[in-house]
Amino acid sequence: MLAFSMVQTAVVPILPSLARGVHVSSSTVAWLMTANLLSAAVLTPLLGRFGDLYGRRTMLLISLGGLALGSVLAVSTESFAWLVVARVLQGAGGGVFPLAISIVRNQLPANRIPGGIGAVSAAMGIGSALGLVVTGLLMEQWSYKSVFWAGLLISLVAIAWSVVGVPRDVVTDRTVRVDPLGALTLTGWLCALLLAVSQGNQWGWGSGRIVGLFIAAVVIAAAWAVIELKVQNPLVSIRMLVSPVVAITNVAGAVIGFGMYGCFMVISNFAQTPEKTAHYGFSADVLHAGVMLLPSAIGSMTAAPVGARLIAARGPRIPLSLGGLLAAVAMGFLAVVNGHPIDLYLAAAVFGFGVGLAYTAMPAAINSAVPIEQSGIANGMNAVFRTVGGAVGTAVLGSTLAGDTIKGSPLPTLGAYQEAFWITAIGCFLAAVASLAMRTPLNPMSSGKPAVRQSDPAGETVA
């Protein structure tokens, strides 16, 4: 998980250098992020489901193999087109999250499951922050290629460690087959939605292409839901997806994802704003801006064991709601107090702790409501909602900053940044409130088994 999250975010600070290195415009180079986003969103639930059906260890190695292969291609080419292909391959690493959660749930003793899930979940926030810092360090000494070399190295370490340390799992039911039409329609609506969201600021939200993509996403999603309700062995159980615990957790995941990716972007941009020109900001370089986000990684790491203890004692609802509340407080604080670097350090630490709590609680909530044979796809869809939320957050906050600039300059005003911080704070607060409506067992992981389930009239197992 650390390998994937580092590789995914490390590219963000080097996009301007990449644009110069491969001779493309700043708008064109953004496709490196868009391609990775689309690939990860599609492959995460698919690999999670394949893990449920064909073995989680096998799919984990395939997922990490895609991450490593993409890194190999990235370090060996100067072509922008092949770099896009490399980022698509790296998107396969998104499958690590649902597969790792399923492996932890399937392999560890019951009393170690919450801590294991917390460690995997916290690694997402830790890797994202570390990716920015590592990029800053590498760019001070070498070219953008060094970032891809670092991604290759950590991918190979992850593969070697998984080969040695992850035991083979036994698939008990080999009669279930993949739902190809469900997979195709899921891919279709996710690609249409994320492409519209990620390109809205560039193409114009009212343009024919964006409106057409949104319409296509709605139509294909409706067709996908109908297909999944009718087939005997759906890729994604719609009934599972709309059950109260899973639905609330996915909504919270989307909003927390909105806040996390938006927070990283806004804080990094704010820190790098030239203070003499804008009369705010800290004129930080890429490395310094990454270091300002490092407390968020420390906060996420600290939150993992705390979240595990809370889950074991009180269930996942409290840490999920508390995580959203702390993230909201951190962003609200920055909206009011942002004149000194210590303000960013403090806010990033509290925000990281809140996100770490929330990310630890979400898989526990999901696992309390689904049978173990659906663990991979259920957690995979939760990761998709986080990705969609992150894409929306990046687009909305980017539009907020671009819509209010200093006269005669492309730099956003201080008021634009304050508005962005408030938007993030309100979203995280709503996630905290929504989480309070969730009802889960007091200790959903006490036996390592799913919560009590019954069959619906159609014969499908539901929470």
Side-chain angles (χ1 to χ4, degrees):
M1 196 63 243
L2 191 72
F4 171 68
S5 57
M6 285 185 68
V7 168
Q8 187 178 46
T9 59
V11 173
V12 176
I14 64 169
L15 288 178
S17 299
L18 274 168
R20 292 190 296 270
V22 296
H23 310 293
V24 297
S25 67
S26 58
S27 58
T28 301
V29 81
W31 278 98
L32 294 178
M33 292 302 301
T34 302
N36 184 260
L37 175 74
L38 295 175
S39 174
V42 170
L43 292 175
T44 296
L46 292 182
L47 288 169
R49 183 56 174 157
F50 292 162
D52 292 337
L53 299 179
Y54 304 121
R56 298 173 180 96
R57 180 180 184 269
T58 299
M59 290 300 137
L60 177 68
L61 294 175
I62 289 174
S63 179
L64 290 170
L67 192 65
L69 185 59
S71 299
V72 169
L73 181 57
V75 300
S76 62
T77 185
E78 301 288 340
S79 163
F80 177 72
W82 282 112
L83 276 177
V84 172
V85 174
R87 291 292 285 169
V88 170
L89 290 171
Q90 288 180 334
V96 170
F97 179 75
L99 293 166
I101 294 296
S102 298
I103 289 168
V104 165
R105 186 182 182 189
N106 196 41
Q107 298 288 350
L108 289 187
N111 63 328
R112 293 180 60 194
I113 290 176
I117 289 176
V120 171
S121 301
M124 181 182 294
I126 295 169
S128 297
L130 286 180
L132 299 175
V133 177
V134 169
T135 297
L137 288 169
L138 293 173
M139 290 297 290
E140 282 205 336
Q141 301 294 328
W142 297 287
S143 72
Y144 70 86
K145 287 280 188 181
S146 61
V147 177
F148 292 121
W149 277 110
L152 175 58
L153 177 61
I154 192 172
S155 301
L156 294 176
V157 170
I159 291 172
W161 208 343
S162 298
V163 169
V164 173
V166 178
R168 293 184 180 275
D169 51 325
V170 178
V171 180
T172 56
D173 186 3
R174 295 185 179 276
T175 61
V176 179
R177 294 291 179 263
V178 175
D179 166 24
L181 198 53
L184 183 64
T185 48
L186 174 66
T187 300
W189 74 258
L190 278 176
C191 285
L193 175 62
L194 289 171
L195 190 58
V197 170
S198 61
Q199 296 299 313
N201 288 333
Q202 184 67 31
W203 293 348
W205 292 103
S207 68
R209 283 186 290 182
I210 296 299
V211 172
L213 283 169
F214 276 124
I215 292 173
V218 171
V219 171
I220 300 172
W224 169 73
V226 171
I227 291 168
E228 298 298 75
L229 285 169
K230 290 184 176 296
V231 298
Q232 184 176 3
N233 297 303
L235 176 74
V236 182
S237 168
I238 301 299
R239 295 179 179 87
M240 174 270 291
L241 208 58
V242 300
S243 64
V245 170
V246 176
I248 291 172
T249 305
N250 286 338
V251 170
V255 177
I256 297 296
F258 178 109
M260 189 183 84
Y261 288 98
C263 166
F264 283 173
M265 180 193 75
V266 174
I267 288 181
S268 179
N269 289 354
F270 186 92
Q272 293 180 68
T273 301
E275 187 175 5
K276 289 183 179 179
T277 303
H279 305 295
Y280 69 85
F282 307 112
S283 307
D285 56 19
V286 173
L287 174 59
H288 189 194
V291 169
M292 285 185 168
L293 286 168
L294 192 57
S296 70
I298 298 171
S300 293
M301 185 166 55
T302 307
V306 175
R309 288 179 179 274
L310 284 173
I311 291 166
R314 303 293 301 275
R317 183 180 63 162
I318 297 301
L320 181 52
S321 183
L322 181 60
L325 181 61
L326 287 174
V329 168
M331 290 298 98
F333 171 80
L334 272 186
V336 178
V337 183
N338 49 52
H340 193 278
I342 194 65
D343 302 329
L344 266 64
Y345 285 112
L346 179 61
V350 175
F351 187 85
F353 188 86
V355 169
L357 283 180
Y359 275 14
T360 301
M362 278 186 252
I366 293 287
N367 290 341
S368 75
V370 302
I372 197 166
E373 61 269 17
Q374 290 186 354
S375 180
I377 186 60
N379 283 289
M381 288 304 295
N382 182 250
V384 167
F385 278 93
R386 299 186 200 186
T387 300
V388 171
V392 173
T394 302
V396 169
L397 298 180
S399 181
T400 300
L401 297 182
D404 185 10
T405 58
I406 297 172
K407 188 175 181 179
S409 168
L411 294 173
T413 64
L414 177 58
Y417 275 105
Q418 291 172 325
E419 184 179 350
F421 290 136
W422 278 122
I423 290 172
T424 307
I426 292 170
C428 291
F429 179 75
L430 293 177
V433 173
S435 302
L436 292 175
M438 189 167 58
R439 294 290 181 267
T440 61
L442 179 62
N443 185 359
M445 292 291 103
S446 59
S447 65
K449 302 295 182 185
V452 176
R453 302 181 301 279
Q454 59 185 10
S455 295
D456 71 358
E460 182 175 0
T461 302
V462 295

